[in-house]
């Protein structure tokens, strides 16, 4: 009987000690904010276009952490979906067409002589990438533009074009090699014949 | 010259050399092409900025583009001619893309611009030399085209142990450096000496592969001649010994740590071509406008090395080397290992183009199809960077960039050794290149998205701040307007509204805090008042004074707090309506209102009497109607004021005033009742049609009298008599009266507070919980005891004070009439003032009944005064003297009021006089008379006031 009581007592004492340690660690190493939302937010393209149906990327990150599908961000495209899938350990699904299609990177360009200086585009731009003032010519700071499209609609004279950012020799990157399957036909003589027949 | 020690590096391969072909012919000098294409980005870093316009004539060696930032370079015209265009042209780049180029059409003169060699490089500052090199457009000519001055600057971070000149030229086919050393041995040595002067390394070593015996011999000969300390280290031929890190390892046995530069371990490498370019610039003032390039490959009939002007189209050089289009299978820029295929031959030679390989199909067959990795490990053995190529391939294929980076992907020099040895013909380097660019892209995208996020968040924060500011402004405006509105409403409400309008800002923290403070202050004040009462009861004079001071101070504080609270909470009239300091004015007003009621009532009766005498007089009827309305208004006011009651802190004199006033009121009311009764009798006698109205009046008057009596409680019947109580009894009497008044005030206050609580919507329980009901009970009990005390003495003194009834009645009547008239004037004036305050214009005021009433009342007053002054002067003074002692304070007050009134009247009349200057002279005269009368009155009042104050002072001293 005494041993039982002793054992119980020791266990209680141990649990109290570890509970205290855990409690202390919880306070001491407390992580501010919601780390998973931050991680998701870091993967999103920050275009802030709202195509996902949220007012910006962070709200979508929050929605994802609350269980929304990961394939609602067209600017991020498949790469972002893949990254999200890896992070959240879920299946990578194709982009949801309802939210738009993946396009090449674009920037807004204002046809400056047509600009009437209404400042509407400035108000629309989520990243303050447009420079101008009332009744002055406006222009887009191309480096800051995320290509979100939001400034195009409000322009009363339709002088904003979304222009694809072409690949220059400095932004160009090497293609991925074809891989094995595409060329395996060439190495076996019989395969080559079959190919010829086709 | 000692032989330098040679070490070795891991891996490496031994591909076919194929160097002999291009060394058959001497250095070629191709003719000027039709145009020179000069890309603005021939180096690593920012593209240069063009300094010329289309159509400009330029001389050979003239600067046509300048550096654009730190990591950038200058560009010079390779020959004299005209700038024909600045446009996008295809450039020599693996992407096959175009870039901005300056197009120069040579004029064939090849006319040099003025050359300014830097002859004093040895004595001048090194920074100047570096800047000069930069202006000469010198970049690393071995591979990437890193601006030389930047590299040299970087070398100053650590003291240099080795300055290595890379002459290894390990890649097959390429012989440009070999040819350069042979052709420009002296220039090379001189260039090395300049650079050594700039970097001051412990050792200067030329690393050269043993497959260039002629060059080695030439170097050794010259160095011997010059007794130079520069060493020549001949390394065995092994690809890629020419790699920077590999050569360093060969010559120093030091490994450049992953992610670091040679400068970090005190080593600087320079290409032989760069050294020669430095020499040309310093000694001859010639900028970098040409370079040695190997033209080789089986598709060329005469492969050779040429000194080609920058911008020469490759097609032009191929023509010069007699290329055979049919044989040409693949055109490669660079060597077979590290070069890249060119899609077009129109691309120009740039500062880094060391070789053009025009290969036949046999030479560079289409790479065998890729197969699966068999994990043979050959690539690992071949890798000069000691990497694990198969692992890297695996991660690259599956896009696991992080893992690839973890396996030092970025240490891969893309030498292609692994691909060369791979039995599965896997284009490993291409995978790595792809992975590297993907990672770089991702990094850049990350930087950009971080920036976008930052800007987005900054914008949001800014917008929120703006919105908050706007909201605050809006609230402030709203507050200001409500404040104004309540300010305006305040006078109309006449401090009566104890209504607790729910404050919009009641949730406001500040207002809450203030309220709490206010409550505390009020409680303190109450305590003080209680103490004061106790002291008054016990007649502790010093204590009373001290307490009164404290109380007033506390009151001030409360008032301050309330002011603040009023400011903070837009709607807190409940607080504003109960200010302690407002008590005195309230009681004053109360008095006035009571007098008003009484006097109007009396006046009404009088008029009714008149009406009885000549019942057809319409004027009187309208007057009666007006006075009735007045009466009602005054009564309403009285009721309201009554609810607010006088405060406990009222000074003794004021307290007794109050009591007396009430007594007078009661008397007046009684008189009124009597009169109305009389009028009723008369009316009954003549059976006037107004009899009902009069009866009604009677009822009302009686009611009022009852009310007053109730207020006065038992002392009421004795009131008029008590005024003239015997001096012996006076003190005791006074004390009792004061106590009574205090007690009554306490009751009133308690009642008021209870009423207030009720108005504020507190339920019964809460009210019960508050101190007031208890206080009320206490005060009532006290009042009862006091009254029992007072009654006998008063009844006892009453008969003694009685006057001759005849005299008294007449006197009283006159006084009353006088008071009534005065009150009427006051009322009218007040109302006019009110109307003005309310922003009514003069026409509206004129249209209202008040001016007319004012005139009437004034007229009446005049007549009454003329009556009073003459026949009743004596009794009046008599009464006054008899009243004097107990009533001093009241008298003073009355006289003060009278004086003030007279003054006001004078002012008014003067104004009227001014206004009626254009009017009839009779009018003016009458006004002037009135003014005189008023002045007289004022003087009288003041004289009396002086007397009274004097006697009061005396009395106080006596006390
Ligand atoms: S669609 Fe993508 S880029 Fe656009 S706001 Fe949503 S998460 Fe951001
Ligand atoms: S400039 Fe237009 S497209 Fe570019 S970020 Fe701003 S709103 Fe979007
Ligand atoms: S290409 Fe890269 S991985 Fe392959 S052998 Fe060269 S350094 Fe090693
Ligand atoms: S040499 Fe080729 S087959 Fe062999 S391990 Fe390397 S990648 Fe695989």
């Amino acid at each position: 009987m005494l041993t039982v009581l002793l054992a119980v007592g020791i266990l209680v004492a141990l649990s109290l000690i570890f509970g205290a340690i855990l409690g202390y660690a919880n306070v001491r190493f407390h992580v501010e904010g919601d780390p998973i939302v931050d991680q998701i937010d870091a993967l999103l393209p920050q275009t802030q276009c709202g195509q996902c149906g949220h007012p910006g990327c962070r709200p979508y990150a929050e929605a994802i952490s609350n269980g929304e599908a990961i394939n609602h961000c067209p600017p991020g495209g498949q790469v972002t979906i893949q990254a999200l899938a890896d992070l959240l350990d879920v299946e990578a699904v194709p982009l949801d067409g309802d939210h738009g299609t993946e396009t090449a990177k674009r920037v807004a360009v204002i046809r400056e002589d047509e600009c009437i200086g209404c400042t509407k585009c400035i108000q629309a731009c989520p990243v303050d990438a447009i420079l101008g003032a009332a009744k002055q010519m406006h222009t887009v700071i191309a480096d800051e533009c995320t290509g979100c499209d939001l400034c195009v609609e409000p322009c009363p004279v339709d002088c904003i074009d979304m222009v694809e950012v072409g690949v220059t020799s400095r932004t160009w990157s090497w293609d991925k090699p074809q891989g094995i399957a595409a060329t395996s036909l060439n190495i076996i003589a019989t395969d080559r014949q079959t190919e010829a027949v086709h | 010259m000692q032989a330098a020690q040679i070490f070795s590096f891991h891996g490496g391969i031994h591909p076919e050399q194929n160097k002999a072909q291009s060394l058959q012919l001497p250095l070629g000098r191709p003719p000027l092409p039709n145009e020179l294409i000069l890309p603005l980005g021939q180096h690593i870093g920012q593209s240069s900025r063009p300094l010329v316009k289309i159509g400009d004539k330029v001389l050979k060696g003239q600067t046509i583009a300048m550096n654009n930032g730190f990591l950038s370079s200058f560009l010079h015209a390779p020959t004299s001619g005209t700038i024909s265009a600045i446009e996008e042209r295809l450039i020599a780049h693996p992407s096959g893309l175009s870039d901005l180029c300056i197009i120069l059409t040579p004029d064939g003169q090849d006319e040099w611009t003025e050359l300014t060699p830097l002859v004093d490089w040895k004595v001048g500052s090194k920074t100047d030399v570096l800047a000069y090199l930069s202006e000469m457009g010198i970049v690393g000519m071995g591979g990437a085209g890193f601006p030389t001055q930047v590299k040299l600057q970087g070398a100053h971070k650590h003291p240099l142990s080795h300055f290595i000149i890379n002459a290894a030229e390990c890649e097959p086919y390429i012989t440009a450096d070999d040819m350069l050393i042979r052709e420009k041995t002296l220039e090379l040595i001189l260039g090395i000496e300049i650079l050594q002067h700039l970097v001051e390394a412990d050792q200067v070593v030329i690393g050269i592969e043993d497959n260039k015996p002629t060059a080695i011999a030439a170097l050794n000969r010259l160095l011997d001649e010059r007794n130079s300390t520069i060493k020549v280290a001949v390394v065995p031929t092994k690809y890629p010994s020419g790699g920077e890190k590999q050569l360093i390892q060969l010559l120093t046995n030091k490994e450049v740590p992953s992610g670091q530069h040679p400068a970090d371990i005190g080593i600087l490498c320079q290409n032989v071509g760069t050294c020669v370019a430095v020499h040309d610039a310093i000694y001859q003032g010639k900028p970098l406008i040409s370079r040695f390039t190997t033209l080789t490959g089986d598709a060329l009939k005469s492969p050779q090395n040429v000194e080609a002007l920058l911008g020469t189209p490759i097609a032009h050089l191929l023509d010069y080397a007699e290329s055979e289009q049919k044989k040409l299978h693949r055109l490669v820029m660079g060597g077979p290992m590290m070069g890249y295929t060119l899609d077009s031959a129109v691309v120009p030679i740039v500062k880094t183009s060391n070789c053009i390989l025009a290969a036949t199909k046999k030479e560079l067959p289409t790479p065998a199809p890729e197969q699966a990795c068999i994990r043979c490990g050959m690539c690992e053995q071949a890798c000069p960077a000691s990497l694990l190529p198969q692992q890297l391939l695996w991660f690259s294929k599956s896009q696991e960039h992080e893992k690839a980076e973890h396996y030092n992907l970025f240490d891969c020099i893309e030498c292609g050794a692994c691909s060369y040895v791979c039995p599965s013909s896997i284009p490993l380097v291409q995978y790595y290149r792809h992975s590297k660019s993907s990672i770089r892209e991702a990094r850049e995208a990350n930087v950009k998205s971080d920036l976008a996020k930052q800007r987005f968040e900054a914008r949001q924060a800014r917008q929120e701040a703006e919105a908050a500011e706007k909201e605050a402004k809006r609230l402030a405006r709203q507050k200001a307007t409500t404040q104004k509105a309540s300010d305006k409403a305040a006078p109309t409400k006449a401090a009566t509204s104890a209504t607790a309008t729910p404050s919009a800002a009641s949730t406001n923290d500040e207002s809450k805090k203030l309220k709490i403070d206010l409550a505390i202050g009020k409680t303190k004040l109450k305590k003080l008042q209680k103490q004061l009462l106790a002291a008054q009861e016990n007649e502790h004079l010093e204590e009373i004074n001290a307490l009164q001071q404290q109380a007033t101070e506390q009151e001030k504080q409360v008032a301050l707090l309330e002011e603040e609270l009023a400011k903070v909470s837009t709607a807190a009239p409940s607080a504003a309506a109960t200010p302690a300091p407002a008590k005195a004015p309230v009681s004053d007003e109360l008095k006035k209102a009571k007098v008003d009621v009484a006097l109007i009532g009396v006046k009404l009766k009088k008029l009714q009497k008149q009406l009885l005498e000549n019942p057809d007089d319409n004027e009187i009827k309208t007057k009666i109607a007006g006075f009735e309305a007045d009466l009602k208004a005054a009564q309403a006011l009285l009721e309201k004021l009554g609810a607010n009651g006088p405060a406990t802190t009222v000074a003794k004199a004021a307290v007794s005033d109050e009591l007396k006033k009430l007594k007078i009121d009661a008397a007046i009311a009684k008189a009124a009742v009597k009169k109305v009764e009389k009028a009723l009798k008369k009316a009954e006698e003549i059976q006037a049609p107004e009899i009902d109205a009069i009866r009604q009046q009677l009822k009302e008057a009686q009611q009022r009298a009852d009310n007053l009596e109730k207020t006065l409680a038992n002392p009421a019947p004795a009131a008029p008599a008590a005024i003239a109580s015997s001096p012996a009894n006076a003190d005791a009497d006074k004390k009792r009266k004061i106590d009574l008044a205090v007690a009554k005030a306490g009751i009133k206050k308690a009642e008021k507070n209870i009423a207030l609580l009720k108005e504020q919507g507190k339920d019964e329980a809460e009210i019960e919980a508050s101190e007031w009901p208890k206080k009320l009970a206490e005060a009532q009990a006290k009042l009862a005891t006091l009254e029992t005390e007072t009654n006998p003495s008063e009844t006892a003194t009453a008969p003694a004070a009685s006057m001759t009834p005849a005299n008294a009645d007449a006197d009283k009547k006159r006084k009353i009439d006088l008071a009534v008239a005065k009150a009427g004037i006051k009322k009218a004036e007040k109302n006019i003032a009110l109307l003005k305050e309310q922003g009514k214009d003069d026409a509206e005021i004129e249209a209202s009944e008040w001016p007319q009433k004012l005139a009437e009342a004034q007229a009446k007053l005049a007549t009454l005064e003329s009556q009073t002054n003459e026949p009743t002067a004596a009794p009046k003074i008599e009464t006054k003297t008899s009243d004097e002692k107990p009533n001093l304070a009241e008298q003073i007050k009355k006289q003060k009021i009278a004086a003030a009134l007279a003054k006001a009247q004078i002012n008014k009349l003067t104004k009227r006089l001014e206004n009626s200057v254009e009017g009839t002279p009779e009018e003016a005269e009458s006004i002037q008379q009135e003014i005189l009368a008023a002045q007289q009155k004022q003087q009288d009042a003041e004289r009396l006031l002086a007397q009274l104050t004097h006697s009061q002072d005396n009395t106080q001293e006596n006390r």
Side-chain angles (χ1 to χ4, degrees), chain B residues 373-379 390 393 418 421-424 426 428:
Chain B
C373 168
I374 55 167
R375 302 242 171 213
C376 64
M378 282 169 80
C379 52
Q390 62 199 27
L393 169 72
C418 49
V421 297
C422 177
S424 290
I426 302 170
L428 293 154

Side-chain angles (χ1 to χ4, degrees), chain A residues 107-108 121 124-127 129-130 140 144-152 162:
Chain A
V107 289
C121 51
C125 180
V127 292
I130 302 180
V140 175
E144 313 285 11
C145 176
T146 62
C148 70
D149 253 13
L150 294 178
C151 55
V152 175
M162 294 308 293

Side-chain angles (χ1 to χ4, degrees), chain A residues 41-42 45-46 48 55-56 105 122-129 142-146 167-177 179-180 183 186-187, chain B residues 41 43 45-47 91 93-95 97 99 340 369-372 396-397 399 427 430-431 433-434 437 441 446 448-449 451-453 455-456 459 462-463:
Chain A
D41 195 27
Q46 304 297 329
Q48 316 289 2
K105 185 168 164 24
I122 290 189
Q123 289 155 37
C125 180
V127 292
D128 283 333
D143 277 355
E144 313 285 11
C145 176
T146 62
V167 182
T168 69
S169 56
R170 280 164 203 276
T171 58
W172 173 86
S173 57
W174 290 84
D175 286 337
K176 197 177 178 182
I180 306 160
T183 50
N186 297 329
I187 53 162
Chain B
H43 48 269
Q46 291 288 312
S47 293
I91 56 160
H93 192 271
S95 64
L97 291 167
D99 202 356
Y340 47 90
E370 176 187 337
Q371 295 182 46
S396 293
K397 272 188 163 177
Q399 310 268 358
Q430 272 194 58
Y431 279 106
R433 282 171 171 167
H434 169 71
S437 31
E441 244 173 39
N446 237 335
K448 236 189 143 174
S449 75
L451 187 72
K453 193 172 157 189
R455 292 176 73 88
F456 178 65
R459 181 174 190 266
R462 195 191 66 225
Q463 278 178 332

Side-chain angles (χ1 to χ4, degrees), chain B residues 305-326:
Chain B
N305 280 289
V306 293
E307 184 172 9
L309 292 177
L310 300 181
T312 308
I314 284 167
H316 181 72
L317 295 178
L318 292 180
D319 280 351
Y320 176 72
E322 298 168 78
S323 79
E324 293 166 283
Q325 279 301 317
K326 272 193 223 152

